[in-house]
Structure formats: structure tokens, C-alpha cells
Amino acid sequence: MGKVERVATNIPGFDKMIDGGFVKNSLNLVSGGPGTGKTIFAMQFLLEGVKVGQKGLFISFEEEFDNLMGDAMVFGWDFRKLEKQEKCFFFTCKPMEEPNLQMKISEIIKGNKITRVVIDSISVFAMMFKEDAYRIRKEFYKLADFLKKMGCTVLLTSEIPGEAPLDISSGGGSLSRDGIIEFIADSIITVHNSGIGGEGDRAIRVLKMRRTDHTKGPVPMNITKKGMQILD
Ligand SMILES: Nc1ncnc2c1ncn2[C@@H]1O[C@H](COP(=O)(O)OP(=O)(O)O)[C@@H](O)[C@H]1O
Ligand SMILES: [Mg+2]
């Protein structure tokens, strides 16, 4: 069997849980309730990429650009500077108002040789297609396929109301509002902010990751002024 090529997230402590990093050109979903650290995880993934010479693209369908920049600056992450230096790019729009979404995104990726892409969050993208589950699935596949073919390793966030379920095998709970993206993603990571973390109040868990011998249970995690850190 060939060795799986990986993209280290370099989020402190996380790569140890996933055999060294995300599978190259894979689609990874970070799912959790509000305030659990999804956006922080996503920003760190891009920031650490820049540090090793991999350019990033942050796609947002909801958060105002200024808010996003402000949140990042609290951690000392100067994305405006990185954007000026053409190391990290931002694309915000309301999907309904952007008919050529895929073309626009593909131009940015190609034009700048981007290899790490974040979509924060994917929930709004699904809302574009209202309640049409067939259409949502089709559009997700299209998006996933297109980003992978462009040579990108992708991180999607998905916000769910309340706490992420600890068991999805029994059909107990959904990991996204649409209940579809979790079946398309190559990996699912859940972030939690109460109770099960033990040491801290937070935890992170890898529910599935293709081609990866990953840690199974929830692992305590912290968010400090330096960002997210997985505790041992
Ligand atoms: N400087 C900080 N120190 C510690 N925790 C922080 C700091 N800034 C934000 N947080 C925590 O991170 C949470 C926001 O994380 P975020 O990634 O935006 O959540 P979401 O999952 O909603 O995207 C806040 O609710 C707060 O608990
Ligand atoms: Mg967020």
C-alpha cells in the first residue's frame, strides 16, 4: 500500500490524533455548537499553512470581513498583512448573490496557487438550496470534487444547534443543519465545549477520517489567547 500523503495542520497536539495530518486533497468537516472553536480551528489551519509556505483561502458566506479580522487580531493573527503579502486570501459573499461562485473561487485558487481552503461555514451554502436534499447533495459533491481536483486540502465548518452528538452510528443526531455534508466529507471532527473535556471544559474528537488510524475518543482541548491547543 502506498504511503498516504498528508498535510500537517500544525494545530498544537492535533496531528498526533490523525497520523500526522489531513489526507492531502481531502475534505474535512469540523462540526460543533456555537462558540466551540470552529472558526479558530479554521483560521489556525490557514495560518500554520502560511508558515510552511502553503497559501490559503478563507471563504465565508456569513461573517462580516471586519468582524473576522477583528476576531483574529485578538489572537495576534494579522490576516490583513498576510493578504497584502498574498499569502492568505479572503472571499466573502452571499451565495445567492453570486451566480458564478465556483468560477470566482477557482480563479483565486489558480491565480495564487492556493492549497489550503476553508469554508466557514458550509451551513449557509446548503441553505441556498432551501430544503431540496437532492440538490444540496449534488451541489456539495460538485464543490468537493472541484476543490479536490484543484489540489486543495479543504476544511469546512458546520454549525449545529446545541452540542455535537457523541454517537452518530445509531442515527441519534446530525452533524450539520442539512444532515448531508457529513456523508460527503472524508473526515469529521467534532468540537465540544462542555462537560466531557475533563481537564478543560472543551474537547475535540475525530469521528471518522478515511485512510487514517485516528484517536477515537474525545480529547481535552483548550482555547487560550494563543489559539487552540489539544491537551495530552
Ligand atoms: N482570547 C481568548 N482566550 C480564550 N478563549 C477565547 C478567546 N477568544 C475566543 N475564545 C473562545 O473561543 C470562542 C469562539 O470561538 P469560534 O471559533 O469563533 O467559535 P465558533 O465555533 O462559533 O466558530 C469564544 O466563545 C470563546 O469561548
Ligand atoms: Mg464561527
Side-chain angles (χ1 to χ4, degrees), residues 33-40 74-75 159 202 223-225:
T36 47
K38 301 178 299 295
T39 300
I40 292 170
V74 172
F75 296 96
E159 181 149 312
R202 298 178 186 273
I223 298 175
T224 68
K225 59 182 191 308

Coordinates of all heavy atoms in Angstrom, one line a residue, residues 33-40 74-75 159 202 223-225, ligand 1:
G33 N -21.3 23.1 18.2 CA -22.2 24.1 18.5 C -21.6 25.5 18.5 O -20.4 25.6 18.1
P34 N -22.4 26.5 18.7 CA -21.8 27.9 18.7 C -20.7 28.1 19.7 O -20.9 27.6 20.8 CB -23.0 28.8 19.0 CG -24.2 27.9 19.1 CD -23.8 26.5 19.0
G35 N -19.7 28.8 19.4 CA -18.6 29.1 20.3 C -17.7 28.0 20.7 O -17.0 28.0 21.7
T36 N -17.7 26.9 19.9 CA -16.9 25.7 20.3 C -15.5 25.8 19.7 O -14.6 24.9 20.0 CB -17.6 24.4 19.8 OG1 -18.0 24.6 18.5 CG2 -18.8 24.1 20.7
G37 N -15.2 26.8 18.8 CA -13.8 26.9 18.3 C -13.7 26.6 16.8 O -12.5 26.4 16.3
K38 N -14.8 26.5 16.1 CA -14.7 26.1 14.7 C -13.9 27.1 13.9 O -13.1 26.7 13.1 CB -16.1 25.9 14.1 CG -16.9 24.8 14.9 CD -18.3 24.7 14.3 CE -19.2 26.0 14.4 NZ -19.5 26.4 15.7
T39 N -14.3 28.4 14.0 CA -13.6 29.4 13.2 C -12.1 29.5 13.6 O -11.3 29.7 12.8 CB -14.3 30.8 13.4 OG1 -15.7 30.6 13.0 CG2 -13.7 31.8 12.6
I40 N -11.9 29.4 14.9 CA -10.5 29.5 15.4 C -9.7 28.3 14.8 O -8.6 28.5 14.3 CB -10.4 29.4 16.9 CG1 -11.0 30.7 17.5 CG2 -9.0 29.2 17.5 CD1 -11.3 30.7 19.0
V74 N -7.4 39.5 17.9 CA -7.3 39.2 19.4 C -6.2 38.2 19.7 O -5.6 38.2 20.7 CB -8.7 38.7 19.8 CG1 -8.7 38.2 21.3 CG2 -9.8 39.8 19.7
F75 N -6.0 37.3 18.7 CA -5.0 36.2 18.9 C -3.6 36.7 18.3 O -2.7 35.9 18.3 CB -5.4 34.9 18.2 CG -6.7 34.3 18.8 CD1 -7.9 34.5 18.3 CD2 -6.6 33.5 19.9 CE1 -9.1 34.0 18.8 CE2 -7.7 33.0 20.5 CZ -9.0 33.2 20.0
E159 N -22.1 24.5 11.7 CA -22.6 24.8 13.0 C -23.9 24.0 13.2 O -24.8 24.0 12.4 CB -22.9 26.3 13.1 CG -23.4 26.7 14.5 CD -23.0 28.0 14.9 OE1 -21.8 28.3 14.8 OE2 -23.9 28.8 15.4
R202 N -13.3 22.0 27.4 CA -13.5 21.8 26.0 C -12.9 20.4 25.5 O -12.0 19.9 26.2 CB -12.8 22.9 25.2 CG -13.4 24.2 25.4 CD -12.6 25.3 24.6 NE -13.0 26.6 24.9 CZ -14.0 27.3 24.3 NH1 -14.6 26.7 23.4 NH2 -14.3 28.5 24.7
I223 N -8.8 26.6 24.5 CA -8.6 27.8 23.7 C -8.1 28.9 24.6 O -8.7 29.2 25.6 CB -9.9 28.3 23.0 CG1 -10.5 27.2 22.0 CG2 -9.7 29.6 22.2 CD1 -11.8 27.5 21.4
T224 N -6.9 29.4 24.3 CA -6.3 30.4 25.1 C -6.0 31.6 24.2 O -6.4 31.6 23.0 CB -5.0 30.0 25.7 OG1 -4.0 29.8 24.7 CG2 -5.2 28.7 26.5
K225 N -5.3 32.6 24.7 CA -5.0 33.7 23.8 C -4.0 33.4 22.7 O -3.8 34.2 21.8 CB -4.5 34.9 24.6 CG -3.3 34.7 25.5 CD -3.0 36.0 26.2 CE -1.7 36.0 26.9 NZ -1.4 34.8 27.8
Ligands
LIG1 N1 -8.6 35.2 23.8 C1 -9.4 34.1 24.1 N2 -9.0 33.3 25.1 C2 -9.7 32.2 25.4 N3 -10.8 31.8 24.7 C3 -11.2 32.6 23.7 C4 -10.5 33.8 23.3 N4 -11.2 34.3 22.3 C5 -12.2 33.5 22.0 N5 -12.3 32.5 22.9 C6 -13.3 31.4 22.9 O1 -13.5 31.0 21.6 C7 -14.9 31.0 21.3 C8 -15.1 31.4 19.8 O2 -14.5 30.5 19.0 P1 -15.0 30.4 17.5 O3 -14.0 29.6 16.8 O4 -15.3 31.8 17.0 O5 -16.4 29.6 17.7 P2 -17.3 29.0 16.6 O6 -17.3 27.6 16.8 O7 -18.7 29.6 16.9 O8 -16.8 29.4 15.2 C9 -15.5 32.0 22.2 O9 -16.8 31.7 22.5 C10 -14.6 31.9 23.4 O10 -15.1 30.8 24.3

